[in-house]
């Protein structure tokens, strides 16, 4: 297999019968892989039935050697977040498995390692970035899932193409080796922090637990409302009882007070009657002034204001 820089490919079959007779070269077959682009690499599968091409300005393509026809070609990637489209530039490629020619690995000048599954889609199934320099070489491991790459600055690395970074964060259970969750990442992942209380549950169990928790909260709210209503009714009854007691005590006190006042009034009336009788029996020479004071007639005749002493008893003062 020979490929020119401008995309002219040719193939020749060489058979060697024995060492004495030498080798026999059959006529070659040529075809155009691309027009006006630069082919950077070619790779033949283990069964020698298919060949892969890639280069600067052309997408990766898969050809059938026997018919010299194209069977598959990659699709240009989408634009990035800024709307910029990057031209394809493939620098190396290889077939991942010996028994399966449909899985191919291609490396780019923009330090990317891409895995294509030609039986499923035209865009890469997995794309991984490595360092910052272009990748110049790639080789597949015999195990069928690892690849080894080398950059222009001398960096070497190996990748497991079964679980390469495809913008998804995956969480596995190390005991059961089962995939628990997968989350799509819009940006490059830098670190991962796991919660010590992390647990994965089935959605049915989660829904049932949520329903149970909601029912429990509703019952608790109802119980609290009932307690509050009971407390309010108890307070109201206590307040009514207190009001009734107060009203009763007030009525009793008023009744007792009326009797006492009547007794006092009788005593005062009796004292007044006694006082009137005494005043009638007083001598005619003595008179009362305007203030009710007892004064002598001599002082009144002289025109002097007599300073009469008020003779009041303790009972009168109390009355």
């Amino acid at each position: 297999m020979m490929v020119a820089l401008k995309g002219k490919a040719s193939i020749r079959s060489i058979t060697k019968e024995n060492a004495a007779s030498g080798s026999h070269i059959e006529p070659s077959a040529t075809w155009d892989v691309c027009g006006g682009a630069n082919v950077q690499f070619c790779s033949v599968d283990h069964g020698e039935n298919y060949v892969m091409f890639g280069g600067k300005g052309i997408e990766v393509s898969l050809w059938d050697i026997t018919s010299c026809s194209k069977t598959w070609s990659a699709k240009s990637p989408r634009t990035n977040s800024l709307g910029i489209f990057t031209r394809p530039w493939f620098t190396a490629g290889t077939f991942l498995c010996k028994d399966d020619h449909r899985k191919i690995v291609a490396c780019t000048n923009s330090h990317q390692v891409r895995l294509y599954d030609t039986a499923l889609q035209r865009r890469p199934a997995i794309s991984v970035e490595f360092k910052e320099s272009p990748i110049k070489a790639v080789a597949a491991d015999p195990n069928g899932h690892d690849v080894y790459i080398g950059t222009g600055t001398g960096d070497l690395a190996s990748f497991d193409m079964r679980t390469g970074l495809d913008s998804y964060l995956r969480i596995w259970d190390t005991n059961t080796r089962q995939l628990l969750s997968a989350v799509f990442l819009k940006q490059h992942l830098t670190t991962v922090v796991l919660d010590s209380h992390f647990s994965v549950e089935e959605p049915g169990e989660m829904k049932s637990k949520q329903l149970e928790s909601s029912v429990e909260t509703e019952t608790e709210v109802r119980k609290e409302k009932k307690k509050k209503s009971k407390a309010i009714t108890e307070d109201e009854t206590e307040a009514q009882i207190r009001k009734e007691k107060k009203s009763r005590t007030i009525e009793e006190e008023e009744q007792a007070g009326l009797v006492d006042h009547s007794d006092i009034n009788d005593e005062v009336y009796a004292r007044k009657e006694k006082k009137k009788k005494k005043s009638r029996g007083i001598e005619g020479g003595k008179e009362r002034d305007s203030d009710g004071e007892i004064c002598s007639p001599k002082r009144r005749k002289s025109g002097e204001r007599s300073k009469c002493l008020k003779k009041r008893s303790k009972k009168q003062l109390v009355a």
Side-chain angles (χ1 to χ4, degrees):
M1 172 66 68
M2 295 179 293
V3 182
L5 184 63
K6 295 299 180 181
K8 199 75 173 179
S10 63
I11 185 172
R12 291 184 180 182
S13 178
I14 302 172
T15 59
K16 188 174 181 181
E17 296 177 356
N18 50 43
S21 62
S23 60
H24 176 70
I25 300 174
E26 294 182 356
S28 63
T30 60
W31 69 93
D32 291 328
V33 176
C34 61
N38 296 329
V39 178
Q40 297 283 325
F41 75 92
C42 73
S43 178
V44 181
D45 72 330
H46 187 264
E48 296 182 355
N49 295 319
Y50 297 92
V51 61
M52 174 175 53
F53 298 100
K56 184 178 181 181
I58 60 172
E59 293 288 345
V60 179
S61 59
L62 189 66
W63 293 74
D64 188 352
I65 295 175
T66 56
S67 62
C68 299
S69 61
K70 186 190 293 186
T71 60
W72 177 87
S73 64
K75 192 174 183 179
S76 300
R78 299 182 179 90
T79 57
N80 57 14
S81 59
L82 300 176
I84 300 173
F85 174 76
T86 56
R87 291 186 63 193
W89 190 347
F90 292 93
T91 55
T94 184
F95 289 88
L96 185 62
C97 304
K98 293 181 177 180
D99 301 330
D100 190 1
H101 70 278
R102 296 173 297 180
K103 294 181 180 180
I104 59 177
V105 178
C107 302
T108 66
N109 192 64
S110 57
H111 52 86
Q112 290 181 349
V113 181
R114 298 178 183 177
L115 173 65
Y116 292 93
D117 191 345
T118 60
L120 297 178
Q121 59 187 7
R122 296 178 61 188
R123 284 197 169 95
I126 295 174
S127 180
V128 185
E129 293 186 358
F130 178 69
K131 299 290 185 178
E132 298 294 334
S133 58
I135 299 173
K136 297 296 184 180
V138 61
D141 192 276
N143 59 15
H145 52 77
D146 291 338
V147 293
Y148 303 94
I149 62 169
T151 64
T153 57
D155 294 320
L156 299 175
S158 64
F159 289 94
D160 187 351
M161 301 310 295
R162 297 174 299 178
T163 60
L165 181 61
D166 57 349
S167 299
Y168 278 88
L169 173 64
R170 291 179 172 85
I171 300 173
W172 281 271
D173 188 349
T174 56
N175 296 324
T176 60
R177 297 182 180 274
Q178 292 182 354
L179 181 64
L180 302 179
S181 178
V183 182
F184 180 75
L185 305 176
K186 295 182 179 180
Q187 297 179 354
H188 293 289
L189 183 66
T190 55
T191 56
V192 177
V193 179
L194 294 177
D195 187 3
S196 59
H197 302 289
F198 174 77
S199 63
V200 177
E201 297 178 353
E202 295 181 357
E205 295 178 356
M206 292 290 290
K207 288 181 180 178
S208 61
K209 286 186 177 180
Q210 289 177 358
L211 291 172
E212 290 176 358
S213 62
S214 63
V215 171
E216 289 177 356
T217 52
E218 287 179 358
T219 52
E220 289 178 357
V221 169
R222 289 177 182 175
K223 287 180 181 179
E224 289 179 356
K225 286 183 178 178
K226 287 182 180 179
K227 287 180 181 178
K228 288 181 180 178
S229 62
K230 286 181 181 179
I232 290 166
T233 53
E234 288 177 357
D235 294 336
E236 289 178 353
T237 51
E238 287 180 358
Q240 289 179 357
I241 291 166
R242 288 175 183 174
K243 286 181 180 179
E244 291 177 356
K245 286 182 179 179
K246 284 183 179 179
S247 62
R248 288 176 183 174
T249 52
I250 290 165
E251 289 177 357
E252 291 175 357
E253 287 178 357
E254 286 180 352
Q255 290 176 1
L258 288 170
V259 173
D260 294 338
H261 286 303
S262 62
D263 295 337
I264 290 165
N265 292 328
D266 294 336
E267 289 178 359
V268 170
Y269 180 75
R271 287 173 186 174
K272 285 182 179 180
E273 291 292 330
K274 286 180 181 180
K275 197 173 183 181
K276 285 179 181 179
K277 289 179 181 180
K278 285 181 180 179
S279 63
R280 289 174 184 176
I282 293 171
E283 296 177 355
K286 294 182 179 180
E287 297 179 356
R288 291 180 178 275
D289 58 359
S290 62
D291 297 330
E293 295 179 352
I294 300 169
C295 302
S296 61
K298 293 181 179 179
R299 289 181 181 176
R300 189 172 290 279
K301 286 180 180 178
S302 63
E304 294 178 358
R305 185 72 176 174
S306 63
K307 295 180 181 179
C308 302
L309 297 173
K310 294 181 179 179
K311 295 180 180 181
R312 297 181 180 179
S313 62
K314 292 182 180 180
K315 292 181 179 180
Q316 290 176 350
L317 293 171
V318 170

